[in-house]
C-alpha cells in the first residue's frame, strides 16, 4: 500500500478544527486531527509545507519509521505545533491500518482491556449554588465523575466559567486574545468550601475533580491539596505550571490529594521525572498533541511501570477524530485512569459522524474499522475558520500571569 495524497481542512462548525485526510493507492483514507486551540494556522502550514511532501509514496503501515522520520528528521524537535502536526499524521496512519485490516483501532493496540471507558464531565457554575445545580444535572445524566469549577466571590472572570452559558469554551473569536484577571488568595480561600458543599449535598459516591489551570506555586498547591483532603478528590489538576517538574515534588511530599498534570505536555521528556519519581497519579497528555498513537502507547507503558495512570485531556478542543483516538487507546491500555469528555453539539456530530457512544458514565467505541469517525466535508466547509484565541491572564495589579 502507498500514500498517494494528503489533504488538509480548517473549518469551524462551532469552533475551529483542523482535519487531515491521507489517501492511499488502495482507496483507503485515514483521518487525523491537528487542532491546537488558537494556533491552528501554525499547525496547518507545518503540515502542508513541511510534512505532507515527505509522505507521498510511503507505506502507511510503517508508522514507527514515519514517526521517527518526522520527529528525529526535523532536527528541531518537540513543541506543541510540531508534535500536533506529527500527531495528526500518525492518527491518520493508524486509521488507515485498522481500516485496511477491517478492525476497530483498539484491536491493533493490544486489544480490549475493558468494554467501556470511565469518563468525567464538567460542571461549571457562576457561584456555588449554580455549580451544585450543574453537578445535579450531570449526575442525572449518569456521570460517575464530575469536574467542578465555580466563579469565585470578588473575581470578575475565571478559567472554566462562562458568564452566559452553562458550558465553557475558552477560545474567544476575534483578532486578539481577551484579558482575564486573577487573585490567588481569593481562589484559595474559596475552593475548599465548594467541595465541602458538594460532599454535603452529594455524599461520597461520585468522583469529584478540580482544575487549577496552572495558577499556583508549589506551596500554594500543597496548601490547597491539604485543605481538600477531607473531600477525597479523584484528582487535583494542573496545580502549578507544567514546565518545572521538580515543583510537583514539593506538592507530593505535603499532600495525599491525587495529582494530575500533562495537557500541555507533548513528549515524554516533559514528564519523565514526574513518572519515574512517582510525583503524580495521573498523566493527562492527549494523543493528538503528543505526536499521535505511536508515542502515546509507549508513554502509557512507561507510566504503568511507575503506578501512574492515564487520564487523557479530551475537551471539545480536540475533534471527534482525536477523541476517538484517545478512546481506543484508553480501551486498550492496562493503566487507564479516566478520560475527559465534554460531548459534542449536533452540528459537530454532523460534521464528524462518529461511533463514540456515551452511556451511564462511560464511553464506548463502536466496531467500525479504524477510528469509527467520518468527515462530512461538504457540511464542514460551510463553516469556515474564524480566528479565535485563548485568553491571557493578569494579576489584579496588571502583572502578566499564567492563564
Ligand atoms: C481541560 C483544559 C482545557 C483547556 C483547553 C485549552 O482540562 O479540559 O484545561 O479546558 O483550557 O484545552 O484549549
Ligand atoms: Mg485542564
Amino acid at each position: 500500500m502507498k500514500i498517494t495524497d494528503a489533504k488538509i481542512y480548517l473549518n469551524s462548525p462551532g469552533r475551529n478544527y483542523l482535519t487531515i485526510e491521507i489517501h492511499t493507492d488502495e482507496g483507503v483514507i485515514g483521518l487525523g486531527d491537528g487542532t491546537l486551540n488558537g494556533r491552528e494556522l501554525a499547525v496547518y502550514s507545518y503540515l502542508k509545507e513541511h510534512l505532507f511532501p515527505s509522505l507521498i509514496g510511503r507505506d502507511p503501515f510503517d508508522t514507527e519509521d514515519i514517526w521517527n522520520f518526522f520527529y528525529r528528521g526535523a532536527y528541531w524537535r518537540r513543541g506543541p505545533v510540531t508534535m500536533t502536526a506529527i500527531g495528526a499524521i500518525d492518527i491518520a496512519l493508524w486509521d488507515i491500518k485498522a481500516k485496511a485490516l477491517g478492525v476497530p483501532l483498539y484491536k491493533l493496540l493490544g486489544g480490549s482491556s475493558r468494554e467501556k471507558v470511565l469518563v468525567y464531565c464538567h460542571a461549571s457554575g457562576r457561584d456555588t449554588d449554580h455549580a451544585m445545580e450543574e453537578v445535579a444535572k450531570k449526575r442525572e445524566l449518569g456521570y460517575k465523575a464530575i469536574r467542578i469549577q465555580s466563579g469565585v466571590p470578588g473575581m470578575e472572570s475565571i478559567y472554566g466559567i462562562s458568564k452566559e452559558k452553562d458550558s465553557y469554551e475558552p477560545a474567544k473569536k476575534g483578532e486578539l486574545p481577551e484579558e482575564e484577571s486573577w487573585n490567588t488568595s481569593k481562589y484559595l480561600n474559596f475552593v475548599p468550601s465548594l467541595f465541602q458543599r458538594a460532599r454535603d449535598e452529594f455524599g461520597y459516591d461520585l468522583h469529584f475533580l478540580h482544575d487549577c489551570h496552572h495558577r499556583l506555586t508549589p506551596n500554594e498547591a500543597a496548601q490547597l491539596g491539604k485543605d481538600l483532603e477531607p473531600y477525597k478528590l479523584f484528582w487535583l489538576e494542573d496545580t502549578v505550571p507544567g514546565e518545572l517538574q521538580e515543583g510537583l515534588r514539593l506538592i507530593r511530599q505535603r499532600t495525599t490529594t491525587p495529582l494530575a498534570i500533562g495537557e500541555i505536555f507533548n513528549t515524554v521528556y516533559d514528564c519523565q521525572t514526574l513518572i519515574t519519581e512517582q510525583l503524580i497519579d495521573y498523566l493527562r497528555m492527549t494523543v493528538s498533541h503528543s505526536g499521535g498513537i505511536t508515542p502515546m502507547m509507549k508513554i502509557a507503558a512507561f507510566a504503568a511501570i511507575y503506578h501512574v495512570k492515564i487520564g487523557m485531556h479530551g475537551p471539545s478542543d480536540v475533534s471527534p477524530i482525536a477523541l476517538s483516538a484517545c478512546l481506543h487507546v484508553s480501551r486498550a491500555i492496562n493503566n487507564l485512569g479516566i478520560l475527559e469528555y465534554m460531548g459534542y453539539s449536533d452540528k459537530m456530530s454532523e460534521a464528524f459522524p462518529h461511533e463514540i457512544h456515551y452511556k451511564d458514565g462511560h464511553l464506548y467505541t463502536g466496531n467500525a474499522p479504524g477510528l469509527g469517525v467520518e468527515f462530512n466535508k461538504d457540511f464542514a466547509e460551510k463553516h469556515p475558520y474564524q480566528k479565535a484565541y485563548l485568553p491571557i491572564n493578569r494579576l489584579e495589579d496588571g502583572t502578566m500571569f499564567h492563564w
Side-chain angles (χ1 to χ4, degrees), residues 155 157-159 178-185 187-188 212-218 220 238-241 243 390-403:
M155 272 167 64
S157 57
I158 188 168
Y159 161 77
E178 278 190 3
E179 296 201 4
E180 295 183 352
S181 86
W182 176 253
N183 181 315
T184 302
S185 324
Y187 172 77
L188 288 179
C212 305
H213 226 253
H214 320 273
R215 293 174 182 199
L216 304 177
T217 64
E220 289 161 353
D238 288 348
T239 50
V240 288
E243 294 94 326
L390 292 172
I392 60 118
N393 200 19
R394 292 185 185 275
L395 298 179
E396 287 174 346
D397 70 356
T399 309
M400 190 63 200
F401 198 57
H402 322 287
W403 179 75

Side-chain angles (χ1 to χ4, degrees), residues 120 122 147 159 211-214 235 237-238 263 284 313 340:
Y120 73 90
H122 293 188
R147 186 189 89 162
Y159 161 77
D211 191 345
C212 305
H213 226 253
H214 320 273
W235 78 36
E237 174 178 337
D238 288 348
E263 65 187 39
R284 288 197 21 76
H313 185 213
E340 183 177 12

Side-chain angles (χ1 to χ4, degrees), residues 252-323:
R252 191 61 156 180
Q253 283 159 356
R254 297 178 202 171
T255 177
T256 54
T257 292
L259 302 172
I261 195 165
E263 65 187 39
I264 62 164
F265 296 167
N266 42 72
T267 72
V268 70
Y269 303 107
D270 293 321
C271 56
Q272 89 277 13
T273 306
L274 298 179
I275 293 172
T276 56
E277 293 191 23
Q278 303 176 52
L279 302 181
I280 54 172
D281 300 274
Y282 298 94
L283 182 64
R284 288 197 21 76
M285 289 172 75
T286 197
V287 170
S288 55
H289 298 160
S290 309
I293 292 162
T294 299
M296 197 66 214
M297 290 300 291
K298 297 176 192 175
I299 293 167
F302 175 55
I305 298 171
Y306 297 94
H307 309 295
V308 174
K309 292 184 180 172
I310 304 298
M312 278 183 255
H313 185 213
S316 54
D317 61 15
V318 299
S319 86
I321 296 170
L323 185 74

Side-chain angles (χ1 to χ4, degrees), residues 9-14 347 350-351 375-386:
Y9 306 88
L10 190 48
N11 311 109
S12 185
K347 203 167 161 191
E350 195 174 340
F375 180 44
N376 181 348
K377 252 178 300 190
D378 295 339
F379 181 79
E381 281 180 348
K382 288 187 195 130
H383 304 277
Y385 166 79
Q386 290 172 282

Side-chain angles (χ1 to χ4, degrees), residues 1-2 4 23-29 61 100:
M1 194 184 260
K2 285 210 175 354
T4 51
H23 293 243
T24 62
D25 57 353
E26 294 183 21
V28 183
I29 297 173
F61 273 78

